[in-house]
């Protein structure tokens, strides 16, 4: 059987030309399609998202996390409990970041990340304590090169975290920052199951011994002994929930002390100290509240010494000048400061009936440990270890009992007044 050859009407040569031109055009079309399929724009769209940097800054009360990307990421996020976690889902992502940058610090206990498959990558931030997401934003970089995710988080109570968990369906997948009004509440929160809560903070501890007395008494031991006495007296009343920032000889950063007070939704934080001073003969107790401007040079000097506490363990903390900038939080600070001043006045009145006070005993300075925006706080200097008589008093169980009872009486008056104003537990 012979080979059949089909030709165009114009003849064999014309048919051959037609087929050659047809196949040439087809090959050209395939080449164009292939070029389009593998064009740089198409390749970039199919390539994994790249996280080019990861940075964390902050402390145990507030953190900011910034992640940079080569292009705009599609973000979905949600919270998980047990432990407290923030989960961020991204398109398939190449994590081109430095392992040192994800090392635990501040509020964050660990950072894990990796590919889940099916075009999804995940980053998980585990908190050391319950936390609130104050904002999670996707922003274009100012130089026009790439995008960033900026996360603001702050320490919160278990109740606040659980409330956010219950409402997370409203925010899951959001890439828009929450309104600032929702970040810290609107002042003291009414919680039906919440009793008036006191957090007692024994100053110093661990590697940071604090001041040392003329006869070798160490401040960290005095403050702990007194805090335990005060805790036991408050517990005996039976009306309060009482917590301590430390119950043993351990080092605590200043921001950790604030975080513990906020975690317990404290109605009052009392920080206990016993200082030394060069002024000969000066003795007696002092009550301090927070203020950006110190009431006197001695108060400022004391605040400076106490604020250096973190450096004893090589943990110098930089101030965040942008912390708490919006009007709402400023109003809450003012209300909290008003409560702090009110308690300080009551406390001075009660202490004056039982223990010696210095002249002008109610003072103020910029103490970091008193800076929780929503927890009324005072710092009580029980006396001066640099004075032999004060040092002897601080070591006396009878004196500690008498002074602790005066503070307990002041707390009872303050709690009653606060409850009467409709803001107490």
């Amino acid at each position: 059987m012979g080979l059949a050859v089909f030709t165009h009407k114009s003849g064999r040569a014309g048919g051959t030309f037609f087929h050659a031109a047809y196949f040439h055009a087809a090959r050209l079309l395939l080449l164009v399609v292939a070029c389009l399929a593998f064009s740089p724009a198409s390749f970039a769209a199919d390539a994994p998202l790249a996280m080019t940097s990861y940075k964390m800054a902050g402390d145990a009360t507030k953190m900011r996390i910034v992640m940079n990307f080569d292009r705009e990421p599609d973000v979905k996020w949600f919270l998980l409990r047990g432990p407290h976690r923030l989960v961020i889902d991204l398109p398939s992502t190449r994590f081109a970041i430095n392992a040192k940058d994800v090392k635990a610090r501040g509020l964050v206990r660990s950072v894990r990340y990796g590919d889940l498959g099916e075009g999804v990558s995940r980053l998980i931030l585990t908190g050391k304590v319950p936390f609130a997401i104050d904002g999670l934003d996707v922003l274009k970089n100012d130089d026009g090169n790439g995008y960033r995710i900026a996360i603001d988080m702050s320490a919160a109570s278990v109740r606040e975290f659980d409330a956010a968990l219950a409402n997370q369906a409203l925010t899951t997948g959001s890439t828009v920052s929450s309104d600032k009004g929702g970040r810290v509440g609107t002042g003291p929160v009414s919680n039906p199951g919440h009793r008036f809560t006191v957090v007692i903070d024994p100053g110093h501890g661990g590697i940071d011994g604090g001041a040392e007395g003329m006869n070798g008494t160490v401040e960290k031991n005095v403050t702990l002994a007194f805090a335990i006495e005060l805790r036991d007296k408050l517990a005996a009343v039976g009306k309060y929930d009482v917590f301590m920032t430390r119950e043993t000889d351990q080092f605590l950063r200043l921001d950790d002390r604030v975080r513990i007070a906020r975690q317990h939704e404290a109605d009052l934080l009392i920080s206990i100290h016993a200082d030394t001073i060069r002024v000969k003969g000066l003795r007696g107790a002092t009550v301090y509240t927070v203020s950006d401007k110190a009431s006197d040079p001695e108060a400022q000097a004391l605040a400076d010494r106490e604020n250096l506490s973190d450096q004893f363990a090589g943990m110098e903390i930089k101030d965040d000048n942008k912390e708490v900038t919006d009007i709402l939080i400023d109003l809450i600070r003012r209300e909290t400061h008003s409560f702090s001043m009110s308690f300080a006045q009551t406390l001075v009145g009660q202490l004056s009936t039982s223990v010696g006070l210095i002249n002008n005993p109610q003072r103020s300075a910029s103490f970091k440990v008193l800076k929780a925006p929503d927890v009324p706080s005072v710092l009580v200097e029980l006396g001066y270890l640099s004075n032999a008589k004060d040092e002897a008093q601080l070591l006396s169980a009878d004196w500690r009992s008498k002074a602790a009872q005066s503070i307990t009486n002041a707390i009872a008056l303050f709690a009653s007044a606060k409850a009467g104003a409709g803001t107490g537990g």
Side-chain angles (χ1 to χ4, degrees):
M1 182 174 177
L3 179 64
V5 178
F6 295 90
T7 61
H8 192 265
K9 286 184 179 179
S10 61
R12 184 183 180 92
T16 303
F17 174 79
F18 172 82
H19 282 282
Y22 173 81
F23 286 117
H24 178 73
R27 289 176 62 190
L28 183 61
L29 179 62
L30 288 172
L31 183 62
V32 170
V33 170
C35 288
L36 288 173
F38 293 97
S39 67
S42 175
F43 180 78
D46 292 339
L49 180 72
M51 183 188 292
T52 55
S53 70
Y54 178 102
K55 299 293 181 185
M56 289 192 293
D59 54 29
T61 58
K62 294 181 74 69
M63 290 285 290
R64 165 157 273 223
I65 298 160
V66 177
M67 296 171 274
N68 276 288
F69 297 85
D70 62 342
R71 60 182 186 272
E72 185 173 9
D74 180 20
V75 179
K76 292 181 174 60
W77 64 272
F78 54 94
L79 301 172
L80 290 175
R81 180 174 48 199
H84 303 96
R85 286 160 289 168
L86 169 64
V87 179
I88 301 172
D89 281 347
L90 301 161
S92 183
T93 301
R94 180 172 58 88
F95 295 92
I97 57 180
N98 192 325
K100 292 182 179 179
D101 292 333
V102 299
K103 186 178 179 181
R105 71 197 69 179
L107 273 175
V108 178
R109 189 174 73 189
S110 68
V111 180
R112 293 182 292 139
Y113 52 89
D115 186 39
L116 292 182
E118 300 183 355
V120 178
S121 292
R122 174 169 288 181
L123 182 139
I124 303 173
L125 298 169
T126 302
K128 294 179 181 177
V129 295
F131 56 84
I133 300 300
D134 300 327
L136 195 155
D137 302 280
V138 175
L139 306 166
K140 189 170 185 177
N141 290 331
D142 295 337
D143 60 6
N145 296 320
Y147 285 75
R148 67 188 184 276
I149 297 176
I151 304 170
D152 290 298
M153 59 193 298
S154 57
S157 66
V158 172
R159 183 178 65 84
E160 289 170 326
F161 186 90
D162 288 348
L165 197 64
N167 294 321
Q168 75 175 0
L170 299 176
T171 56
T172 297
S174 170
T175 58
V176 179
S177 173
S178 58
D179 178 68
K180 288 183 178 180
R183 299 185 186 185
V184 295
T186 55
V189 178
S190 177
N191 179 3
H194 175 80
R195 297 203 302 174
F196 190 91
T197 300
V198 181
V199 172
I200 306 169
D201 173 42
H204 307 280
I207 193 173
D208 173 21
E212 187 170 335
M214 296 182 65
N215 297 309
T217 304
V218 180
E219 182 180 4
K220 66 175 182 178
N221 299 328
V222 169
T223 61
L224 182 57
F226 187 88
I228 292 172
E229 178 82 22
L230 179 57
R231 178 198 64 189
D232 292 346
K233 286 190 180 298
L234 289 171
V237 174
K239 294 181 179 180
Y240 316 119
D241 287 332
V242 186
F243 301 93
M244 290 174 56
T245 57
R246 68 179 182 95
E247 296 184 345
T248 59
D249 182 19
Q250 69 176 110
F251 175 82
L252 275 178
R253 287 171 25 165
L254 295 173
D255 54 280
D256 277 319
R257 299 169 191 267
V258 176
R259 186 258 308 163
I260 290 168
R262 298 195 71 198
Q263 180 183 342
H264 291 298
E265 299 185 56
D267 296 283
L268 189 60
L269 169 66
I270 302 176
S271 190
I272 305 295
H273 289 262
D275 196 26
T276 59
I277 196 167
R278 293 180 180 178
V279 180
K280 190 175 182 180
L282 186 63
R283 59 176 304 212
T286 316
V287 178
Y288 290 90
T289 54
V290 71
S291 172
D292 291 334
K293 184 178 181 180
S295 58
D296 53 81
E298 291 80 11
Q300 184 60 57
L302 173 63
D304 291 342
R305 289 194 297 274
E306 298 297 350
N307 291 343
L308 290 173
S309 174
D310 288 343
Q311 295 186 9
F312 280 93
M315 298 181 178
E316 183 174 358
I317 308 300
K318 295 181 179 179
D319 285 328
D320 181 4
N321 294 325
K322 295 182 180 180
E323 179 186 8
V324 193
T325 56
D326 57 273
I327 295 174
L328 175 64
I329 299 180
D330 183 56
L331 290 174
I332 294 173
R333 276 192 180 279
R334 291 182 189 181
E335 182 179 30
T336 301
H337 184 255
S338 177
F339 281 126
S340 299
M341 292 290 290
S342 174
F343 176 69
Q345 291 169 1
T346 302
L347 182 56
V348 166
Q350 290 296 312
L351 287 172
S352 66
T353 66
S354 58
V355 301
L357 298 171
I358 67 168
N359 293 329
N360 189 22
Q362 187 175 336
R363 302 188 178 192
S364 60
S366 184
F367 292 95
K368 289 182 180 179
V369 76
L370 304 183
K371 286 189 174 182
D374 47 3
V375 180
S377 309
V378 297
L379 185 148
V380 180
E381 286 287 348
L382 297 171
Y384 290 96
L385 289 171
S386 49
N387 182 281
K389 292 182 179 179
D390 269 5
E391 184 179 14
Q393 279 188 164
L394 291 167
L395 295 174
S396 166
D398 289 342
W399 184 91
R400 285 200 303 267
S401 177
K402 184 169 59 172
Q405 187 59 54
S406 292
I407 296 177
T408 300
N409 295 341
I411 291 171
L413 292 170
F414 178 70
S416 177
K418 202 175 179 199
T423 57

